[in-house]
Structures are given as structure tokens and as C-alpha cells.
């Protein structure tokens, strides 16, 4: 398959630049990929499409204000540091840096102001602009990020986010992502309480979103693309709940592609296995889903791995039809945009999957 096969036309004006005033005011396109039907709703109406016994799975990863700005101590040159993940060495993180070519081993950077700052040293050089940076302080790096950092909004968002919490889900708990699991941004506490009151089980997993979300595909053939690995964890409680529901024929509904990738990674045998590990799972057409029965997700970038994932779910041609409808109806796209509820999977072998 060619990456070009997953392109579609999107007017720039439909790329949402700011979140709506209320999370659940966003629109919801309800899609049945088997019957090829579409229903236009608002996200608060999601309860109309859930049923007692469903298992709703959320990614509770929390975004770090991971984008730090500083200056080189020797030249005063401006530097950007995007924290990605902790390294094995104390106080050391792997970061995406700019301008990387000027950040050699031993380079020291001051983050903050003269009155309140932290020194950072480049202690490792990796490819693709990656550096290992050590913070010369005993203060936790996540606390430094909270004090000096900005939310690492995607490059297609050109406005300043006034409220950092609007790029966090209301249930965000485990710190470690450099981008939000955006399908969950539509839920409010009140809506989640309503969902649980109707008999839907709500469980969490953790997948820390990494550098892959910022990187475009650089190859022509889909199969040649290599995914960056990301860390995930599934608790014993969540694994048991999902396995029980599968045995009883109840739906597993993933909130977002990060939750889906976690569930499919931990359930590659067809049964969920608890634990923490890395995954580089790449889902594109031809993939056979093992765990997830329905998916809540935002609209994804053209030629992205996530559009390939929803194409695997719906079929590429139908995915393009759905997205074309969303464009015509002027849905808002990407991180701060509207959502879809894919109520079941299109069959890959001619059998309906309800």
C-alpha cells in the first residue's frame, strides 16, 4: 500500500484552533461501518448509543508541559527542548531539540530566567534531532516542566492555549505524555457519571503518547514505516473486566486510538494480559482486531498512521467517504475538533461484527 492512498482534501479553516467552551458541546458523527449509515449528533448524546454492560476504556495518561525554551550559555542562542521520556540516568531525559545541530555533547542551556532558572547539559546525541539532556538540580524534571514548560500543542495549532487544563482529559492521572489522548477531551465529569449510572463499566489504561505523534511518515510504502515505541500499562482489574466482558459477549469500547492500541497490544492473543511494556503496534488495512468492538475517536490527519488505523476499521474507501461528509458538513478537525463514534467494525472476511 502507498501512503498517498490515505490522502484526503481538508480546507485549513476546518482545523480547530481552540477548544469549545464546553467539552461535550462538540459534534459527534455516529458511523456504522457495516450498514454505511451516518447520524449527526453532539457529543453529549453519546449516551444514546451506549448500552448497559458496555465497557468503556479510557487512557488516563497526563500531558507534561513538555516544551521548554532556553538559551545556550556560551552564545546566548535560543533553544527549544521538547521532553519525550526519562532516560536511564538520573535527572536525564530524551528530548527533541532545535536547533539540534548546534547542541553538541557538553552544551549547557539555561532554562527559565536569570532570577529563576535551571541548567541543562547535553549528555547524549541521538539521531533525528534527539538529545539526552541532564537537569543539574535535584528537583523532579516533571516539576521543572510544570514551572517553565508550555503544553506541546501540535504544529497545526497556531493559537495560544489560555487554559492548560483544556489540553488534558478530566480523568488524566499518570504523567508522561507529550500529546493528549484527544478523543477523551470531549468527556466531562458529569457525562462520565451519567454513563456509569446507565450501567456502563468505565475502566482505564495508560499509554504515554510519544514522539510518533509529531512525526510524519517519511516513506512511500505503508509497510516500510516504523512506529516509535510507546510505554503502556494495563492493570489486573482492567484486564479481568475486559476478559469477562468478552466472554459474555459485551462490547469493549475504546475511547481514542491510544486506548485501542493499548488494548490490541495487551490482547494480541485474544485475551487481555495485565502488565507494563512498550508497544510499536502499527494498525493499517488488513489488520484483524482482537479486543475492541467500537471506537470513539477524533478526525485524523491525511496520510497519518491514525487515518490508516480508522481505514483498517472501516475500509479505506468508506473512511474517505465518511471524512468527505465531515468536510461537507464542516466538522472541526484534529486535536480540538469534533468526534466520531464507530459503533462496530467493518468485516474483513464478509462476516458482520456487532
Amino acid at each position: 500500500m502507498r501512503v498517498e492512498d490515505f490522502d484526503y482534501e481538508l480546507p485549513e479553516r476546518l482545523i480547530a484552533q481552540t477548544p469549545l467552551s464546553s467539552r461535550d458541546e462538540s459534534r459527534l458523527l455516529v458511523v456504522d461501518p457495516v450498514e454505511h449509515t451516518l447520524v449527526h449528533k453532539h457529543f453529549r448524546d453519546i449516551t444514546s448509543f451506549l448500552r448497559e454492560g458496555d465497557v468503556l476504556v479510557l487512557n488516563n495518561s497526563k500531558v507534561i508541559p513538555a516544551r521548554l525554551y532556553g538559551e545556550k550559555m556560551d552564545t546566548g542562542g535560543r533553544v527549544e527542548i521538547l521532553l519525550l521520556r526519562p532516560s536511564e540516568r538520573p535527572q536525564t531525559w530524551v528530548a527533541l531539540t532545535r536547533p539540534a545541530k548546534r547542541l553538541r555533547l557538553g552544551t549547557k542551556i539555561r532554562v527559565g530566567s536569570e532570577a529563576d532558572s535551571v541548567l541543562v547539559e547535553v549528555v547524549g546525541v541521538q539521531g533525528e534531532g534527539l538529545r539526552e539532556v541532564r537537569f543539574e538540580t535535584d528537583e523532579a524534571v516533571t516539576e521543572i516542566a510544570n514551572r517553565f514548560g508550555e503544553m506541546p500543542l501540535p504544529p497545526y495549532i497556531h493559537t495560544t492555549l489560555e487554559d492548560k487544563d483544556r489540553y488534558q482529559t478530566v480523568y488524566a492521572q499518570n504523567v508522561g505524555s507529550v500529546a493528549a489522548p484527544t478523543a477523551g477531551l470531549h468527556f466531562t465529569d458529569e457525562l462520565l457519571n451519567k454513563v456509569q449510572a446507565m450501567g456502563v463499566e468505565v475502566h482505564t489504561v495508560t499509554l504515554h503518547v510519544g514522539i510518533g505523534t509529531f512525526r510524519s511518515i517519511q516513506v512511500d510504502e505503508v509497510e516500510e514505516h516504523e512506529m516509535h515505541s510507546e510505554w503502556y500499562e494495563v492493570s489486573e482489574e482492567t484486564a479481568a473486566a475486559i476478559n469477562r466482558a468478552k466472554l459474555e459477549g459485551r462490547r469493549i469500547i475504546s475511547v481514542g486510538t491510544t486506548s485501542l492500541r493499548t488494548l490490541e497490544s495487551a490482547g494480541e492473543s485474544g485475551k487481555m494480559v495485565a502488565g507494563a511494556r512498550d508497544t510499536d503496534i502499527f494498525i493499517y488495512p488488513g489488520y484483524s482486531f482482537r479486543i475492541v468492538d467500537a471506537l470513539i475517536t477524533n478526525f485524523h490527519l491525511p496520510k497519518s498512521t491514525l487515518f490508516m488505523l480508522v481505514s483498517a476499521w472501516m475500509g479505506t474507501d468508506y473512511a474517505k467517504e465518511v471524512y468527505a461528509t465531515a468536510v461537507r458538513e464542516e466538522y472541526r478537525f484534529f486535536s480540538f475538533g469534533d468526534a466520531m463514534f464507530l459503533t462496530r467494525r467493518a468485516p474483513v472476511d464478509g462476516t458482520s461484527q456487532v
Side-chain angles (χ1 to χ4, degrees), residues 32-35 51 246 251 287-294 312-314 342-354:
D32 184 333
V34 177
E35 299 294 335
R51 53 183 182 250
K246 296 296 286 184
R251 290 192 302 178
Y287 179 84
S288 180
F289 293 89
R290 299 170 177 85
I291 300 296
V292 180
D293 302 299
W313 188 281
M314 294 190 277
L342 309 181
T343 59
R344 51 183 174 171
R345 303 191 302 267
V348 295
D349 57 0
T351 58
S352 177
Q353 297 162 314
V354 180

Side-chain angles (χ1 to χ4, degrees), residues 184-230:
L185 295 178
H186 305 284
F187 280 99
T188 63
D189 288 321
E190 294 76 14
L191 183 56
L192 281 171
N193 289 337
K194 187 176 180 180
V195 166
Q196 289 179 290
M198 60 184 289
V200 174
E201 292 184 32
V202 177
H203 295 277
T204 60
V205 296
T206 302
L207 181 138
H208 291 324
V209 184
I211 188 176
T213 194
F214 292 97
R215 290 287 171 87
S216 59
I217 296 178
Q218 301 296 321
V219 295
D220 295 327
E221 303 294 332
V222 171
E223 296 85 349
E224 293 178 0
H225 177 66
E226 294 184 8
M227 295 284 286
H228 289 271
S229 65
E230 295 167 311

Side-chain angles (χ1 to χ4, degrees), residues 40 106 331:
H40 303 280
Y331 277 72

Side-chain angles (χ1 to χ4, degrees), residues 264-285:
E264 293 295 314
S265 296
E268 61 180 351
S269 67
K271 182 178 180 180
M272 289 293 296
V273 178
R277 54 190 65 88
D278 291 333
T279 181
D280 60 358
I281 188 171
F282 182 17
I283 297 174
Y284 54 85

Side-chain angles (χ1 to χ4, degrees), residues 110-334:
R110 181 173 66 192
V111 172
S113 64
E114 291 188 13
D116 182 18
S117 64
V118 173
L119 279 180
V120 180
E121 181 180 1
V122 176
V123 294
V125 175
Q126 301 179 13
E128 299 181 309
L130 298 177
R131 298 290 185 270
E132 282 189 89
V133 294
R134 184 177 65 229
F135 289 76
E136 297 185 354
T137 174
D138 292 330
E139 184 180 5
V141 175
T142 52
E143 291 303 317
I144 295 169
N146 284 330
R147 193 158 88 248
F148 297 123
E150 296 179 0
M151 282 298 187
L153 296 179
Y156 48 76
I157 293 178
H158 308 299
T159 58
T160 301
L161 183 63
E162 295 182 0
D163 180 2
K164 287 184 179 182
D165 286 340
R166 291 299 273 112
Y167 196 57
Q168 300 279 18
T169 62
V170 296
Y171 47 81
Q173 183 176 357
N174 295 330
V175 174
S177 279
V178 298
T182 54
L185 295 178
H186 305 284
F187 280 99
T188 63
D189 288 321
E190 294 76 14
L191 183 56
L192 281 171
N193 289 337
K194 187 176 180 180
V195 166
Q196 289 179 290
M198 60 184 289
V200 174
E201 292 184 32
V202 177
H203 295 277
T204 60
V205 296
T206 302
L207 181 138
H208 291 324
V209 184
I211 188 176
T213 194
F214 292 97
R215 290 287 171 87
S216 59
I217 296 178
Q218 301 296 321
V219 295
D220 295 327
E221 303 294 332
V222 171
E223 296 85 349
E224 293 178 0
H225 177 66
E226 294 184 8
M227 295 284 286
H228 289 271
S229 65
E230 295 167 311
W231 181 90
Y232 75 84
E233 183 172 24
V234 178
S235 69
E236 294 281 357
E237 178 186 358
T238 294
I242 292 171
N243 287 332
R244 184 167 56 249
K246 296 296 286 184
L247 285 173
E248 296 172 359
R250 294 184 280 124
R251 290 192 302 178
I252 309 301
I253 303 172
S254 175
V255 178
T257 57
T258 58
S259 297
L260 182 147
R261 293 177 66 245
T262 300
L263 296 176
E264 293 295 314
S265 296
E268 61 180 351
S269 67
K271 182 178 180 180
M272 289 293 296
V273 178
R277 54 190 65 88
D278 291 333
T279 181
D280 60 358
I281 188 171
F282 182 17
I283 297 174
Y284 54 85
Y287 179 84
S288 180
F289 293 89
R290 299 170 177 85
I291 300 296
V292 180
D293 302 299
L295 173 65
I296 298 169
T297 186
N298 281 18
F299 295 93
H300 303 293
L301 277 71
K303 298 190 288 187
S304 66
T305 60
L306 298 182
F307 183 65
M308 292 172 189
L309 185 153
V310 297
S311 295
W313 188 281
M314 294 190 277
T316 305
D317 290 342
Y318 187 56
K320 288 182 177 180
E321 288 182 29
V322 170
Y323 271 54
T325 299
V327 168
R328 286 196 302 272
E329 296 292 329
E330 299 201 334
Y331 277 72
R332 302 167 78 242
F333 277 66
F334 305 160

